[in-house]
Short mmCIF file of all heavy atoms in Angstrom, two decimals:
data_model
loop_
_atom_site.label_atom_id
_atom_site.label_comp_id
_atom_site.label_asym_id
_atom_site.label_seq_id
_atom_site.Cartn_x
_atom_site.Cartn_y
_atom_site.Cartn_z
N LEU A 44 -1.16 -9.85 5.22
CA LEU A 44 0.30 -9.30 5.13
C LEU A 44 0.58 -8.40 6.27
O LEU A 44 1.69 -8.55 6.71
CB LEU A 44 0.53 -8.62 3.79
CG LEU A 44 0.60 -9.52 2.66
CD1 LEU A 44 0.38 -8.78 1.30
CD2 LEU A 44 2.04 -10.25 2.63
N THR A 47 1.15 -10.73 9.14
CA THR A 47 2.42 -11.51 9.03
C THR A 47 3.62 -10.62 9.28
O THR A 47 4.51 -11.10 10.02
CB THR A 47 2.46 -12.03 7.55
OG1 THR A 47 1.32 -12.94 7.31
CG2 THR A 47 3.75 -12.75 7.27
N LEU A 51 7.23 -10.48 12.26
CA LEU A 51 8.54 -10.71 11.65
C LEU A 51 9.56 -9.61 11.93
O LEU A 51 9.15 -8.57 12.13
CB LEU A 51 8.46 -10.79 10.02
CG LEU A 51 7.63 -12.00 9.49
CD1 LEU A 51 7.49 -11.69 8.00
CD2 LEU A 51 8.36 -13.32 9.77
N THR A 55 13.15 -9.64 4.04
CA THR A 55 13.05 -9.44 2.57
C THR A 55 11.62 -9.70 2.03
O THR A 55 10.90 -10.31 2.72
CB THR A 55 14.08 -10.34 1.85
OG1 THR A 55 13.67 -11.73 1.97
CG2 THR A 55 15.52 -10.11 2.32
N GLY A 56 11.35 -9.31 0.78
CA GLY A 56 10.09 -9.53 0.21
C GLY A 56 9.90 -11.11 0.09
O GLY A 56 8.77 -11.61 0.27
N ALA A 57 10.94 -11.78 -0.21
CA ALA A 57 10.78 -13.29 -0.32
C ALA A 57 10.46 -13.94 1.06
O ALA A 57 9.62 -14.84 1.17
CB ALA A 57 12.12 -13.88 -0.84
N ASP A 58 11.09 -13.42 2.12
CA ASP A 58 10.86 -13.91 3.47
C ASP A 58 9.32 -13.55 3.87
O ASP A 58 8.71 -14.44 4.46
CB ASP A 58 11.68 -13.33 4.42
CG ASP A 58 13.16 -13.75 4.27
OD1 ASP A 58 13.36 -14.84 3.68
OD2 ASP A 58 14.06 -13.04 4.72
N ILE A 59 8.94 -12.43 3.53
CA ILE A 59 7.47 -12.14 3.88
C ILE A 59 6.50 -12.83 3.11
O ILE A 59 5.49 -13.42 3.57
CB ILE A 59 7.26 -10.59 3.63
CG1 ILE A 59 8.15 -9.80 4.55
CG2 ILE A 59 5.81 -10.15 3.72
CD1 ILE A 59 8.37 -8.27 4.24
N ALA A 60 6.81 -13.11 1.77
CA ALA A 60 5.98 -13.94 0.98
C ALA A 60 5.90 -15.39 1.49
O ALA A 60 4.80 -15.95 1.49
CB ALA A 60 6.41 -13.91 -0.47
N LYS A 61 7.02 -15.91 1.86
CA LYS A 61 7.07 -17.16 2.32
C LYS A 61 6.27 -17.38 3.68
O LYS A 61 5.49 -18.34 3.83
CB LYS A 61 8.52 -17.75 2.54
CG LYS A 61 8.70 -19.15 2.96
CD LYS A 61 10.09 -19.55 3.07
CE LYS A 61 10.17 -20.97 3.59
NZ LYS A 61 11.66 -21.40 3.65
N ALA A 62 6.51 -16.40 4.57
CA ALA A 62 5.80 -16.46 5.82
C ALA A 62 4.25 -16.27 5.67
O ALA A 62 3.43 -16.92 6.39
CB ALA A 62 6.31 -15.33 6.73
N ALA A 63 3.83 -15.64 4.62
CA ALA A 63 2.40 -15.38 4.38
C ALA A 63 1.89 -16.32 3.43
O ALA A 63 0.69 -16.42 3.18
CB ALA A 63 2.22 -13.97 3.84
N ASN A 64 2.72 -17.26 2.82
CA ASN A 64 2.27 -18.34 1.88
C ASN A 64 1.66 -17.57 0.66
O ASN A 64 0.59 -17.99 0.18
CB ASN A 64 1.35 -19.33 2.49
CG ASN A 64 1.12 -20.41 1.53
OD1 ASN A 64 2.02 -20.85 0.76
ND2 ASN A 64 -0.02 -21.07 1.69
N LEU A 65 2.32 -16.61 0.15
CA LEU A 65 1.83 -15.78 -1.03
C LEU A 65 2.95 -15.80 -2.03
O LEU A 65 4.13 -16.00 -1.78
CB LEU A 65 1.47 -14.36 -0.52
CG LEU A 65 0.32 -14.27 0.38
CD1 LEU A 65 0.19 -12.83 0.87
CD2 LEU A 65 -1.00 -14.82 -0.18
N ASP A 66 2.59 -15.40 -3.26
CA ASP A 66 3.51 -15.29 -4.38
C ASP A 66 4.42 -14.15 -4.14
O ASP A 66 3.91 -13.05 -3.92
CB ASP A 66 2.67 -15.24 -5.64
CG ASP A 66 3.63 -15.21 -6.86
OD1 ASP A 66 4.40 -14.25 -7.11
OD2 ASP A 66 3.42 -16.13 -7.70
N GLU A 67 5.73 -14.34 -4.16
CA GLU A 67 6.65 -13.36 -3.99
C GLU A 67 6.54 -12.13 -4.86
O GLU A 67 6.68 -10.98 -4.36
CB GLU A 67 8.07 -13.90 -4.13
CG GLU A 67 9.15 -12.85 -3.83
CD GLU A 67 10.58 -13.42 -4.04
OE1 GLU A 67 10.76 -14.53 -4.23
OE2 GLU A 67 11.49 -12.60 -3.98
N VAL A 70 3.71 -9.95 -3.60
CA VAL A 70 4.05 -9.27 -2.35
C VAL A 70 5.06 -8.14 -2.54
O VAL A 70 4.94 -7.08 -1.89
CB VAL A 70 4.65 -10.43 -1.30
CG1 VAL A 70 5.23 -9.79 -0.08
CG2 VAL A 70 3.57 -11.42 -0.97
N ARG A 110 -1.95 -19.29 8.58
CA ARG A 110 -1.83 -19.45 7.18
C ARG A 110 -1.75 -20.92 6.93
O ARG A 110 -1.08 -21.69 7.66
CB ARG A 110 -0.53 -18.76 6.68
CG ARG A 110 -0.60 -17.31 6.86
CD ARG A 110 -1.33 -16.77 5.57
NE ARG A 110 -1.94 -15.54 5.92
CZ ARG A 110 -3.24 -15.29 5.54
NH1 ARG A 110 -3.97 -16.11 4.94
NH2 ARG A 110 -3.71 -14.12 5.81
N PRO A 111 -2.26 -21.42 5.67
CA PRO A 111 -2.13 -22.78 5.31
C PRO A 111 -0.72 -23.13 4.93
O PRO A 111 0.13 -22.23 4.75
CB PRO A 111 -3.04 -22.86 4.10
CG PRO A 111 -3.21 -21.48 3.65
CD PRO A 111 -3.04 -20.60 4.85
N GLN A 112 -0.39 -24.38 4.93
CA GLN A 112 0.99 -24.75 4.53
C GLN A 112 1.28 -24.37 3.14
O GLN A 112 0.30 -24.41 2.29
CB GLN A 112 1.15 -26.35 4.74
CG GLN A 112 1.05 -26.72 6.18
CD GLN A 112 2.17 -26.19 7.04
OE1 GLN A 112 3.27 -26.16 6.60
NE2 GLN A 112 1.74 -25.50 8.16
N PRO A 113 2.61 -24.08 2.90
CA PRO A 113 2.88 -23.75 1.39
C PRO A 113 2.56 -24.77 0.43
O PRO A 113 2.63 -26.01 0.63
CB PRO A 113 4.43 -23.57 1.56
CG PRO A 113 4.71 -23.22 2.94
CD PRO A 113 3.71 -24.11 3.72
N GLN A 114 2.07 -24.35 -0.74
CA GLN A 114 1.69 -25.12 -1.84
C GLN A 114 2.33 -24.59 -3.06
O GLN A 114 2.87 -23.50 -3.09
CB GLN A 114 0.21 -25.16 -1.93
CG GLN A 114 -0.40 -25.88 -0.74
CD GLN A 114 -2.02 -25.72 -0.78
OE1 GLN A 114 -2.52 -25.26 -1.73
NE2 GLN A 114 -2.66 -26.21 0.28
N GLN A 116 2.98 -22.26 -6.04
CA GLN A 116 2.56 -20.88 -6.16
C GLN A 116 1.55 -20.66 -7.23
O GLN A 116 1.85 -21.01 -8.42
CB GLN A 116 3.74 -19.95 -6.39
CG GLN A 116 4.68 -20.07 -5.21
CD GLN A 116 5.56 -18.90 -4.96
OE1 GLN A 116 5.39 -17.91 -5.70
NE2 GLN A 116 6.34 -18.77 -4.00
#
Side-chain angles (χ1 to χ4, degrees):
L44 283 162
T47 298
L51 294 174
T55 65
D58 293 336
I59 295 166
K61 184 176 181 180
N64 191 31
L65 298 172
D66 187 294
E67 180 185 350
V70 171
R110 293 277 155 226
Q112 293 299 313
Q114 298 174 2
Q116 299 207 357

